[in-house]
Amino acid sequence: MEDLAEHELRRSITDADSPAWHTRGAAGRRLAAAPHIEVVAGVLHRLLLDTKDTGVTSDTAAALLARKDLAGLRAVLASRATASDEATADQLAAELDCDPRWTAQEDDAELITQLRTLTTDTDPEIRAEAQLRLSRLRRQEKQPTPNP
């Protein structure tokens, strides 16, 4: 008898090809929650780069970033680095910039540590994206806070 998790994984992979954006977005969320996203990295990458609807990109990226792990962040950075469609690239950048870990003090350190780790990734595009995110953070830290 087929394992329920295996069945869900196969269904999600099939749903990733649906003509309906909400079905593809749901597939992205489910696949992003898989314990070992490396197994479905190609499908996730395709969903992150969905040029038909940025809702799919947003849903998938948000779910990957919600994992709060290196694999999820790496997947989003890899897609951002290779996005050729401007709307998709902008949506990925927005998801990265709006990651709630930027605003939570304890999670901020975790995210910075992950970005620093990814600046030494074997993929030069991921390294560059991680360095870009860190440099933006440094610029934000140097900005004076306005007086209320």
Side-chain angles (χ1 to χ4, degrees):
M1 185 169 173
E2 185 177 53
D3 181 57
L4 181 60
E6 182 67 25
H7 174 73
E8 281 296 313
L9 185 66
R10 288 181 189 194
R11 187 179 121 230
S12 296
I13 291 170
T14 300
D15 286 352
D17 292 323
S18 171
W21 76 267
H22 55 84
T23 303
R24 293 192 314 277
R29 290 190 304 274
R30 289 192 310 268
L31 291 170
H36 303 288
I37 62 170
E38 300 80 15
V39 175
V40 291
V43 179
L44 283 167
H45 188 72
R46 186 166 37 90
L47 291 167
L48 286 165
L49 297 177
D50 190 299
T51 57
K52 295 176 188 165
D53 197 299
T54 57
V56 177
T57 300
S58 177
D59 285 357
T60 306
L64 283 164
L65 293 172
R67 293 172 60 96
K68 298 183 179 183
D69 67 0
L70 198 60
L73 179 59
R74 186 180 192 281
V76 177
L77 289 177
S79 294
R80 172 63 182 95
T82 60
S84 58
D85 178 74
E86 186 176 346
T88 302
D90 288 347
Q91 187 63 49
L92 287 165
E95 294 301 330
L96 285 161
D97 292 341
C98 293
D99 186 325
R101 292 182 291 172
W102 289 119
T103 58
Q105 292 295 334
E106 65 278 354
D107 290 341
D108 182 299
E110 174 189 26
L111 182 59
I112 291 170
T113 299
Q114 289 175 353
L115 285 169
R116 285 185 178 142
T117 299
L118 291 171
T119 62
T120 61
D121 195 88
T122 56
D123 184 322
E125 291 177 328
I126 292 172
R127 284 195 309 263
E129 280 296 319
Q131 289 167 349
L132 174 66
R133 299 284 150 203
L134 282 173
S135 68
R136 283 186 177 177
L137 179 62
R138 288 185 198 114
R139 282 195 306 266
Q140 288 174 352
E141 288 174 344
K142 291 179 182 179
Q143 297 282 329
T145 55
N147 291 332

